Amino acid sequence: MKPQELIKRHLNDIQKPSRYIGGEFGSVVKDASAVDIRYAFCFPDLYDIGMSHLGMKILYHLLNERQDTWCERVFAPDTDMEALMRRYSMPLYGLESKDPIRDFDFIGFTLQYELCYTNILNMLDLAGVPLLSEERDDSYPVVMCGGPCACNPSALADYVDLFFIGDGEEYFPVLLDLYKSCAGKSEFLRRASQISCMYVPKYHDPNKKVVRAMVEDLDRMYYPSQFVVPFTETVHDRAMIEVMRGCTRGCRFCQAGMIYRPYRQKSPKRLLDCAVRLCENTGYDEISLSSLSTSDYEGLAELTDDLLDYCVPQSISISMPSLRVDNFTKNILDKISAVRKSGLTFAPEAGTQRLRDVINKNVTDADIENTCRIAFEGGASAVKLYFMMGLPTETDEDLAGIVNIANHIEDLYYNINGPKARKLKINISLATFVPKPFTPFQWEAQITVEEAKRKQDYLMSLPHSANIRIHCSDGRTSRIEGVMSRADKKIGKALYEAWKLGCKFDAWDEHFDYDKWVEAFRRANICADDYASRTRSEDEHLPWDIIDVGISKEFLLRERRLAFKAQTTPDCRRKCAGCGINKYCKGDVCP
Amino acid sequence: MPVRIRFSKTDTACFISHLDLVRCMTRAFQRAGISVRRSQGYNPRPHIVFAAPLSLGIESTAELMDVIVEQDLSPAEIMQRLNGGLPRDIRVSDVYEDGMPFRQISKARYNLKFPEQYARLFDSFVNADRIMTVKKNKHGPIQTDIKPYVNIERFDIGPAGADISLILPTGPDYNISMRVFLGAFFDSFENDEQIFYACRTDFFDKNGKLFR
Ligand code: SF4
Ligand code: SF4
């Protein structure tokens, strides 16, 4: 039975069925008999999330540019659809062909966050593929993973044949060419393990590190001029251009800022060209300038000026998802609200100057005030602020600082707009800090669930006005994220037990079940504290030491020590901090 | 130039809700480079008027929509360009300037197919004294007998199952959606899945004249 037929038979039982049928504009359909390689690009979360993800769009079209390859999309079905698929024994299929992915050559997952790991096991199971790598003979597809979380592959190492570390544009084609020249999966994996950026657990040489792939000149890299345009609304349903990769700031908690080094910008000219083609081909009325920190992009003024000339007559709005509070200007605000007004989001991350110095978030109270002033004078009546809780050296005073900032912003708003102004909305989003591999905080202990709770209660007990809404993430979710982030291979067993107990969609509050995880750790004989809330010694061998992301451990240790002295490190554009990446790849500002 | 556009919505496209279809068409015009008159207001969007919404799960070869094209394009050119901007399973089949007013729509014809095991059941369902449907409104469920409005034009039973042509009231005056009709049928007997094929093929005005 085809998925369309299954859905039609149970239309009343399935939410948003268009997520399961493909056929979107821009999706690529090929003749299966005319290609050599069939690749299932799997995003281990719902369609609504996965279809918003830029990396998937780039690789989907990159792979499909090849005549010999057909890449299809696969997402985790929601529980209603999964129940039906299991009832009818319908194996997980590619959205384009509706063919079972267990008959493909590759099943490739992108790892964007650790809380999707149970979904990976569940999707393999739904595909009808044995979970363990060693139980899959040559007749099964190569199961591979890429994306930021692959930089610590340990938790998934038993289930995955190959991890791809780093930028995909240059090495993906190499991988596919190699596959074509091999007689079977075993030969392919053995030879792939010789490629610098591939980690193949089965054939890994412990004396050699896997080196992250980095593309030096982004301008010369492939960028799609077409996207798959979903029927149903997704989280980010818009055209996107990637203006740069990497970030010069060096915030010490930030894994992306470390593992995407060095800083590589695209030229405004190339970007304008990509943006216009993408808007014309997709029909989107919004284009997002995507990067880790878009207001840092040097060509921003030139790019947005040219872009607006194109966008305004077409009613296309420009959005920038990641703005910094220390260089937000009236000019930027005018440009992002030229066609449509959108919400403003900033991330001061910590409530006091001292703690912001610890984490190297080089942002001052004056910056925050200045940014909000610009926003309020420009007519904004809502701001969203991101903070973290449980940062190293944090005290209650630092938490109180968060509420102080919010109170101060409120005063500022009414001072500017008068007491009768439209009601102000300040949304504060507070995430529990999770120490990540390849950051200066990779040795730190994460706060416990109890401590997270205490901090939250304390914060909520501080007086703040009704205009200020504080939302705290669940400390229990963060704990699981913490265990997965710094997992070693033993965690694989716990992951399996958790999946067996029914854990999936752990990033979703309505599905997350902490008790099941506790039980899974018990069954796998894992002490979760050992992973999440233990300070590692500096000479401890870390599970992710098998990977070389390009920055040196000495640099991380240096940064760690500076953190505890609350000393900041300047932005790469002002002074090189000697992270070591320039040995592999010189970015725009590396010496 | 005001134009009427006839299009089909088949296979996967039958799962696209009306709201999603509106968004899809808006983008399709943009992709096709056809500039369409926009609605007034804070956030102006292309103004597209659809003849009659189609329920989820039902295919169609007869959908109609009206727009005002602000460029000098021939109907054939509009059709060709728009098809280039539409997903595979939505296809424009005709574009013309002299459409009848949508308010004159009064009926629609559907082709309905069931597997053999449902054929007899369907026969007794439509030949019963009453065909009861339940519609919910704010006062709670209301039961209606729609039998007088259902017109079975053709009913063939063969080895492949039942092949039916039927007419349901459609349009501004009185409307029975195919989904409501099918819901009543599937409620009339024990089943845990709904196997059917349904496709809207024509509209008519109240005199029974083919609507275009
Ligand atoms: S500004 Fe800081 S938090 Fe943001 S991406 Fe750069 S390093 Fe990470
Ligand atoms: S080499 Fe220097 S400038 Fe380049 S990313 Fe590292 S610290 Fe920054």
Side-chain angles (χ1 to χ4, degrees):
Chain A
M1 191 186 347
K2 280 191 169 181
Q4 295 96 299
E5 182 55 32
L6 173 85
I7 292 169
K8 201 152 93 177
R9 288 185 189 187
H10 295 278
L11 208 48
N12 298 332
D13 307 325
I14 295 184
Q15 298 281 317
K16 297 209 224 167
S18 72
R19 300 180 289 182
Y20 306 117
I21 46 135
E24 305 94 327
F25 183 82
S27 60
V28 180
V29 172
K30 296 190 180 185
D31 174 1
S33 64
V35 296
D36 300 321
I37 302 172
R38 300 200 54 187
Y39 193 101
F41 199 124
C42 304
F43 194 99
D45 208 322
L46 296 181
Y47 179 96
D48 323 36
I49 309 292
M51 281 300 288
S52 309
H53 183 249
L54 179 57
M56 180 172 198
K57 294 177 191 291
I58 297 177
L59 289 173
Y60 175 80
H61 293 284
L62 174 79
L63 264 54
N64 278 322
E65 290 275 299
R66 288 172 67 109
Q67 288 235 317
D68 62 356
T69 306
W70 185 7
C71 174
E72 304 190 31
R73 295 159 300 141
V74 185
F75 302 92
D78 209 341
T79 44
D80 51 5
M81 182 63 179
E82 181 187 338
L84 280 174
M85 289 170 72
R86 290 197 185 274
R87 178 177 147 197
Y88 284 83
S89 304
M90 175 179 286
L92 196 61
Y93 55 89
L95 282 183
E96 281 71 6
S97 66
K98 323 281 188 298
D99 291 336
I101 62 169
R102 66 157 176 252
D103 300 331
F104 282 36
D105 298 283
F106 286 92
I107 297 181
F109 290 94
T110 174
L111 309 178
Q112 296 299 319
Y113 30 86
E114 294 82 359
L115 290 170
C116 68
Y117 288 179
T118 49
N119 285 3
I120 293 178
L121 299 197
N122 200 41
M123 286 170 79
L124 287 175
D125 183 62
L126 268 171
V129 161
L131 301 186
L132 287 170
S133 184
E134 63 183 32
E135 287 176 7
R136 294 189 299 261
D137 61 21
D138 268 23
S139 70
Y140 288 104
V142 176
V143 175
M144 62 177 283
C145 286
C149 298
C151 72
N152 179 16
S154 314
L156 292 167
D158 289 344
Y159 309 103
V160 173
D161 304 324
L162 181 155
F163 291 86
F164 186 110
I165 314 294
D167 299 333
E169 286 95 337
E170 272 171 352
Y171 276 95
F172 239 104
V174 173
L175 186 87
L176 299 181
D177 288 341
L178 175 67
Y179 181 80
K180 281 214 304 186
S181 73
C182 290
K185 187 171 80 171
S186 306
E187 185 196 335
F188 164 72
L189 289 175
R190 205 167 42 242
R191 289 173 61 188
S193 72
Q194 305 296 315
I195 300 177
S196 57
C197 63
M198 317 268 170
Y199 170 56
V200 180
K202 191 169 169 197
Y203 297 111
H204 178 63
D205 170 1
N207 300 314
K208 249 175 46 198
K209 282 199 178 201
V210 178
V211 183
R212 177 171 67 97
M214 301 162 228
V215 297
E216 185 135 351
D217 186 354
L218 275 184
D219 246 358
R220 283 185 26 233
M221 283 304 121
Y222 171 80
Y223 198 78
S225 52
Q226 180 64 281
F227 280 179
V228 178
V229 183
F231 292 112
T232 172
E233 243 171 333
T234 55
V235 180
H236 298 307
D237 196 9
R238 59 198 181 193
M240 295 176 219
I241 48 171
E242 185 192 26
V243 297
M244 58 198 188
R245 223 169 266 181
C247 176
T248 57
R249 301 279 181 166
C251 303
R252 292 178 180 132
F253 58 86
C254 176
Q255 189 187 44
M258 297 290 162
I259 65 168
Y260 288 119
R261 286 179 181 221
Y263 182 66
R264 292 152 288 169
Q265 306 179 96
K266 291 191 187 173
S267 66
K269 207 173 144 299
R270 171 88 207 276
L271 287 171
L272 179 70
D273 187 51
C274 288
V276 170
R277 271 194 303 162
L278 207 49
C279 287
E280 278 174 356
N281 289 341
T282 58
Y284 274 125
D285 63 0
E286 181 181 349
I287 179 135
S288 152
L289 311 187
S290 158
S291 78
L292 290 172
S293 182
T294 299
S295 49
D296 282 342
Y297 175 58
E298 279 168 16
L300 193 62
E302 181 185 342
L303 171 64
T304 46
D305 280 343
D306 294 344
L307 205 49
L308 278 179
D309 287 343
Y310 167 75
C311 288
V312 172
Q314 310 258 1
S315 286
I316 297 170
S317 60
I318 300 178
S319 64
M320 296 183 209
S322 44
L323 299 169
R324 293 257 323 178
V325 287
D326 53 354
N327 58 10
F328 182 73
T329 60
K330 173 87 173 49
N331 196 291
I332 294 181
L333 178 70
D334 287 347
K335 283 170 174 166
I336 56 181
S337 43
V339 173
R340 243 165 262 122
K341 281 208 164 52
S342 61
L344 290 169
T345 304
F346 301 100
E349 308 289 8
T352 60
Q353 193 60 50
R354 184 199 67 82
L355 191 54
R356 285 197 296 270
D357 288 346
V358 168
I359 62 174
N360 205 40
K361 190 94 206 176
N362 289 309
V363 158
T364 63
D365 286 334
D367 291 331
I368 300 171
E369 177 175 334
N370 194 31
T371 289
C372 290
R373 179 183 300 280
I374 293 166
F376 294 156
E377 284 174 353
S381 61
V383 281
K384 194 167 178 187
L385 300 173
Y386 282 114
F387 287 95
M388 272 186 295
M389 182 181 71
L391 287 162
T393 79
E394 180 183 274
T395 64
D396 283 358
E397 202 184 313
D398 298 307
L399 293 174
I402 296 172
V403 177
N404 289 342
I405 290 174
N407 287 334
H408 186 74
I409 292 175
E410 184 184 32
D411 292 344
L412 181 77
Y413 177 80
Y414 288 106
N415 280 340
I416 291 171
N417 293 312
K420 290 206 194 72
R422 194 141 56 106
K423 195 167 138 63
L424 168 72
K425 267 197 251 156
I426 302 178
N427 275 314
I428 301 228
S429 184
L430 213 68
T432 306
F433 168 62
V434 177
K436 292 283 162 98
F438 300 108
T439 66
F441 293 149
Q442 64 178 355
W443 294 274
E444 295 333 303
Q446 182 178 336
I447 55 169
T448 60
V449 174
E450 296 71 36
E451 182 61 2
K453 180 86 178 59
R454 190 202 64 78
K455 282 176 188 273
Q456 285 181 11
D457 290 344
Y458 169 71
L459 196 85
M460 299 306 256
S461 74
L462 299 171
H464 56 270
S465 96
N467 292 339
I468 302 168
R469 290 248 314 270
I470 304 178
H471 176 264
C472 297
S473 71
D474 187 337
R476 298 173 308 170
T477 323
S478 310
R479 179 173 171 89
I480 304 306
E481 183 187 339
V483 173
M484 291 301 141
S485 298
R486 292 188 288 174
D488 59 15
K489 283 196 177 165
K490 281 186 278 180
I491 291 298
K493 178 87 177 16
L495 193 59
Y496 178 81
E497 295 294 347
W499 169 73
K500 266 275 158 211
L501 287 162
C503 291
K504 56 190 160 195
F505 294 114
D506 295 307
W508 296 78
D509 285 347
E510 64 265 45
H511 292 296
F512 180 69
D513 189 336
Y514 186 61
D515 294 340
K516 283 188 182 151
W517 272 102
V518 171
E519 173 61 15
F521 289 137
R522 198 191 58 76
R523 290 189 188 177
N525 229 333
I526 293 288
C527 168
D529 275 339
D530 264 358
Y531 293 86
S533 28
R534 175 175 66 91
T535 309
R536 276 97 170 139
S537 72
E538 291 186 351
D539 55 10
E540 181 173 329
H541 173 84
L542 302 168
W544 51 96
D545 283 343
I546 53 168
I547 310 278
D548 180 0
V549 295
I551 52 176
S552 69
K553 213 175 203 176
E554 294 70 46
F555 164 72
L556 294 177
L557 282 167
R558 253 192 339 265
E559 283 294 301
R560 177 180 199 227
R561 292 181 191 132
L562 288 172
F564 285 104
K565 289 192 269 180
Q567 283 179 13
T568 59
T569 295
D571 188 303
C572 288
R573 283 170 299 186
R574 288 211 349 253
K575 185 166 178 282
C576 170
C579 74
I581 198 96
N582 49 351
K583 274 208 313 259
Y584 301 93
C585 175
K586 268 203 196 5
D588 294 356
V589 296
C590 298
Chain B
M1 172 180 71
V3 291
R4 172 148 307 162
I5 297 169
R6 181 178 168 127
F7 62 98
S8 63
K9 203 168 167 264
T10 54
D11 197 26
T12 62
C14 79
F15 300 112
I16 301 160
S17 68
H18 188 66
L19 209 70
D20 290 346
L21 179 69
V22 176
R23 190 169 33 237
C24 172
M25 284 299 177
T26 304
R27 287 172 179 165
F29 282 112
Q30 182 81 17
R31 295 189 279 254
I34 300 174
S35 124
V36 163
R37 180 166 307 166
R38 289 174 180 262
S39 58
Q40 302 295 305
Y42 175 66
N43 202 351
R45 298 200 178 274
H47 189 61
I48 308 172
V49 183
F50 290 85
L54 185 67
S55 337
L56 223 54
I58 317 296
E59 302 188 17
S60 173
T61 54
E63 295 311 284
L64 301 171
M65 65 178 174
D66 284 356
V67 291
I68 298 176
V69 174
E70 289 177 324
Q71 286 148 298
D72 192 15
L73 294 172
S74 72
E77 236 175 316
I78 294 175
M79 174 157 139
Q80 193 215 349
R81 282 213 210 175
L82 194 54
N83 271 333
L86 280 167
R88 272 178 296 284
D89 293 337
I90 300 179
R91 293 286 95 191
V92 174
S93 55
D94 202 0
V95 175
Y96 47 90
E97 288 172 68
D98 52 343
M100 298 150 72
F102 279 158
R103 65 189 138 70
Q104 289 178 6
I105 292 179
S106 125
K107 295 180 184 68
R109 174 186 282 144
Y110 293 88
N111 177 221
L112 202 54
K113 287 179 182 150
F114 293 115
E116 211 196 339
Q117 73 260 34
Y118 291 169
R120 195 132 305 185
L121 290 160
F122 187 77
D123 192 20
S124 41
F125 170 70
V126 287
N127 287 313
D129 293 343
R130 269 183 267 186
I131 300 178
M132 298 309 290
T133 62
V134 190
K135 253 192 200 164
K136 277 192 211 101
N137 75 1
K138 48 182 181 281
H139 307 296
I142 29 170
Q143 298 232 348
T144 323
D145 176 15
I146 58 165
K147 169 111 188 182
Y149 305 102
V150 177
N151 173 8
I152 307 282
E153 291 186 312
R154 181 171 57 79
F155 187 173
D156 299 329
I157 301 182
D163 189 335
I164 300 136
S165 173
L166 96 173
I167 306 249
L168 288 179
T170 301
D173 299 333
Y174 188 56
N175 198 72
I176 298 173
S177 82
M178 185 39 114
R179 207 87 218 122
V180 167
F181 177 77
L182 283 173
F185 170 55
F186 284 110
D187 280 347
S188 70
F189 64 100
E190 279 290 315
N191 61 71
D192 62 358
E193 53 180 16
Q194 309 189 342
I195 309 175
F196 67 93
Y197 163 84
C199 181
R200 182 146 81 183
T201 56
D202 301 287
F203 287 114
F204 300 94
D205 74 0
K206 62 175 170 304
N207 303 318
K209 187 171 156 224
L210 202 61
F211 184 90
R212 71 183 291 276

